[in-house]
Amino acid sequence: MSSSFAAGSSSATSASSVAAASGAGGGGGGGGTVPAGYSVAPGLLFANFNQDFGCFAVGTTAGFRIYNTDPLQEKVRREFLDVPGGIAIAEMLHRTNYIALVGGGRHPKFPTNRVMIWDDLKGRIVMEFQMRSEVKAVRFRKDRLVIVLLNKVVVYTFSPKPLRLYSFDTMPNDRGLIALAPAPPLVDGAPISATLVFLGRARGQIQYCDLPVAISMIAAHTSDMAAFTVSHSGHLIATASETGTLIRVFEARSGRLVSELRRGLDKAEIFCIAFNLEGTRICVSSDKGTVHIFNVGTPADGTISDTPSRGSVGPTSSLSSSSNLPNPQSGADQEVKGNRQSSLSFFSPISKYFSSQWSFAQFSLPTEARCICAFAIADRAGGGSEGARRGIMAAAAADAAARDAAAAATSNRSSTSAPFSFVFNSAASPNHGHLEHPLPQTRWSPPPPLQASAVVVLCADGTLHKFAFDPRKGGEAVRESFYRFYRGLQEESDATVDGGVDWSRRW
């Protein structure tokens, strides 16, 4: 998954973060200093969704905040009144109490070359990672922490006593492009290491690996990368270049090109690419003020390869047809229409343009601001995205318990290969946590098939939009709601109700 926006003067973002006006961000998509003419909320430095898009974190010139996405609700507000300072990166670990913070803005709260792990239960920093240069982005899971520098990606264990595992060289990466699969892929019912995607060492190239497997390369585009992301299971990678007209989707394990999707004809800056939880659709935001939604085809044989392919794979690989949509096992409706194609597709032997797949659904935003997008979690029972999230987590937990029971009955597995949870001893050093109550071994399970039919858009002007689209026919999406979650520190002091922001005030 990936994307964020960061503000300002020093660097950037990636595929799932938004950049506002004076800091740095991180993600897997697009980012960087906000161009002149873009709307930015005063004091907003960073915003990014968590791994399942159910929450998002905001960094400001005074601290950070955590919001529930749908329905919109402020959950946490931490402003450092003793020694004020800006937060340029605030990366969540799902919905846990751990948040990775990096200072930024004109008066950073922390040095820009340090990643501070904040434990919100204890209300303090419990771990610190010091780098030799400015941190451009951070991604982490229960078992891994990934830090992005200008020319390097560094991987640590996320454990009471972190170990530095790997260091990968990249091209200059001022945008902080990075993507880490939130959930480990499964092989023979057991999770394997994280699928990590990062910038290559040549123009238009990305590198990826299932740690600690050897690195693979994909020559995805001929121009510089602007955005990329990875599906939640780690099986698919979506990329876009600085040209911004094509989105390419690759099978991660083999490097095979699955789909080539056309955003438009004119050059555009891609802000964000995001998969839905099932990996069957992607949404794409750009500086054209539009968000495009595409169906993602499966490989021609309808399977995902389990055998990694080493070496470079170019964009000339074979494509699946637009009608080759996800199979019933993915939860997709069999009556869903494919992506649109040109009425002149019979000219495709002459030019690939005529065989291009265009967006399945799309909509325009009423704002001129850098934006990131994500699929709202669907709930067929009508309980909203929060209810759906709880259902997914409950189903995953039940399946994990069943897997562990079966595994325990047949073999005595080592717990070192599985994700873990830990808490820090308050008496321990801030830099070294102490494993106080180790939890039982758990295994990740893919979520049940809940196809989202709405997209939420987070913008650097402090607004949140939700658009609904027809999951069968696509077409023009309809805006369901929009809120201004952040007005600027001074404005908000005059617009509060009972100590909190008045969410009934829409613009």
Side-chain angles (χ1 to χ4, degrees):
M1 178 200 114
S2 49
S3 284
S4 59
F5 66 62
S9 57
S10 87
S11 66
T13 80
S14 45
S16 275
S17 61
V18 184
S22 76
T33 302
V34 177
Y38 277 71
S39 177
V40 175
L44 182 62
L45 300 180
F46 173 92
N48 193 15
F49 293 105
N50 73 340
Q51 286 84 350
D52 69 356
F53 314 129
C55 292
F56 63 93
V58 169
T60 73
T61 53
F64 69 92
R65 305 177 186 184
I66 304 295
Y67 296 86
N68 189 75
T69 304
D70 186 24
L72 179 64
Q73 183 180 8
E74 183 176 304
K75 293 292 188 179
V76 174
R77 181 184 295 202
R78 300 288 178 258
E79 294 181 347
F80 306 106
L81 301 179
D82 51 346
V83 182
I87 298 296
I89 297 176
E91 195 67 33
M92 299 178 64
L93 177 60
H94 297 280
R95 288 176 176 257
T96 70
N97 49 302
Y98 297 112
I99 304 166
L101 303 177
V102 178
R106 293 184 178 180
H107 304 287
K109 173 62 179 176
F110 308 112
T112 59
N113 69 326
R114 295 185 184 181
V115 177
M116 320 296 284
I117 305 300
W118 173 273
D119 184 342
D120 203 66
L121 288 180
K122 293 179 171 59
R124 64 179 179 85
I125 300 298
V126 295
M127 189 180 295
E128 178 180 332
F129 297 82
Q130 182 171 346
M131 314 306 293
R132 294 184 178 179
S133 60
E134 179 185 353
V135 175
K136 300 296 183 179
V138 179
R139 287 289 179 271
F140 68 154
R141 308 182 342 175
K142 276 189 173 184
D143 57 345
R144 294 289 183 269
L145 176 77
V146 181
I147 299 176
V148 182
L149 308 177
L150 181 62
N151 294 98
K152 195 177 294 291
V153 172
V154 185
V155 181
Y156 292 88
T157 61
F158 187 56
S159 59
K161 294 184 178 181
L163 299 176
R164 179 166 170 161
L165 296 179
Y166 311 102
S167 178
F168 305 110
D169 294 329
T170 70
M171 285 192 66
N173 186 13
D174 195 52
R175 298 185 181 192
L177 298 177
I178 190 71
L180 177 67
L186 298 178
V187 174
D188 295 329
I192 61 175
S193 302
T195 297
L196 177 68
V197 185
F198 50 99
L199 207 59
R201 288 175 285 183
R203 191 178 193 186
Q205 185 184 82
I206 59 173
Q207 304 178 74
Y208 67 96
C209 57
D210 282 339
L211 302 173
V213 179
I215 299 173
S216 298
M217 305 268 187
I218 296 178
H221 301 270
T222 56
S223 54
D224 289 336
M225 299 297 303
F228 54 76
T229 191
V230 62
S231 63
H232 284 245
S233 67
H235 287 126
L236 296 174
I237 301 170
T239 68
S241 72
E242 288 187 340
T243 304
T245 55
L246 292 175
I247 311 298
R248 292 191 170 113
V249 181
F250 298 89
E251 180 191 353
R253 308 304 298 280
S254 68
R256 200 164 38 149
L257 182 62
V258 173
S259 298
E260 186 172 86
L261 312 168
R262 182 168 292 276
R263 183 211 57 82
L265 296 175
D266 299 331
K267 184 176 180 178
E269 180 183 359
I270 302 299
F271 293 152
C272 170
I273 308 174
F275 280 96
N276 62 356
L277 292 179
E278 302 79 17
T280 57
R281 287 190 173 115
I282 60 171
C283 56
V284 180
S285 64
S286 71
D287 66 350
K288 296 298 183 182
T290 57
V291 174
H292 294 264
I293 302 164
F294 298 88
N295 288 314
V296 177
T298 56
D301 58 3
T303 63
I304 297 294
S305 171
D306 284 331
T307 306
S309 172
R310 306 297 163 207
S312 179
V313 179
T316 56
S317 304
S318 61
L319 298 176
S320 61
S321 68
S322 62
S323 61
N324 189 18
L325 295 174
N327 57 41
Q329 294 177 346
S330 70
D333 195 311
Q334 289 301 287
E335 298 180 8
V336 171
K337 291 185 178 180
N339 297 316
R340 294 179 297 125
Q341 286 191 302
S342 170
S343 60
L344 301 178
S345 58
F346 54 85
F347 283 123
S348 55
I350 300 176
S351 171
K352 288 180 59 179
Y353 166 79
F354 295 108
S355 62
S356 296
Q357 300 182 47
W358 297 73
S359 60
F360 167 75
Q362 63 285 319
F363 57 88
S364 297
L365 293 166
T367 178
E368 294 183 0
R370 184 177 294 272
C371 298
I372 59 173
C373 55
F375 286 91
I377 301 176
D379 183 5
R380 289 173 179 167
S385 61
E386 176 67 12
R389 184 191 67 82
R390 291 176 180 173
I392 288 175
M393 298 304 293
D399 189 62
R403 287 178 185 273
D404 290 337
T410 56
S411 63
N412 186 12
R413 294 180 182 269
S414 170
S415 62
T416 58
S417 63
F420 57 87
S421 297
F422 63 90
V423 296
F424 288 95
N425 189 327
S426 58
S429 164
N431 293 335
H432 299 287
H434 173 67
L435 187 59
E436 208 171 46
H437 302 294
L439 299 180
Q441 174 181 336
T442 60
R443 298 195 181 282
W444 180 86
S445 300
L450 296 172
Q451 295 284 336
S453 58
V455 170
V456 289
V457 184
L458 188 60
C459 300
D461 61 0
T463 60
L464 179 72
H465 309 253
K466 182 179 179 182
F467 284 78
F469 62 93
D470 188 321
R472 295 189 179 188
K473 298 180 181 179
E476 192 70 20
V478 178
R479 187 170 61 186
E480 285 190 347
S481 62
F482 59 102
Y483 294 93
R484 187 178 294 277
F485 65 88
Y486 181 84
R487 300 173 183 274
L489 300 176
Q490 184 59 43
E491 287 188 44
E492 287 186 351
S493 64
D494 301 325
T496 58
V497 174
D498 296 329
V501 176
D502 182 0
W503 301 116
S504 65
R505 295 180 59 181
R506 304 186 182 189
W507 59 273

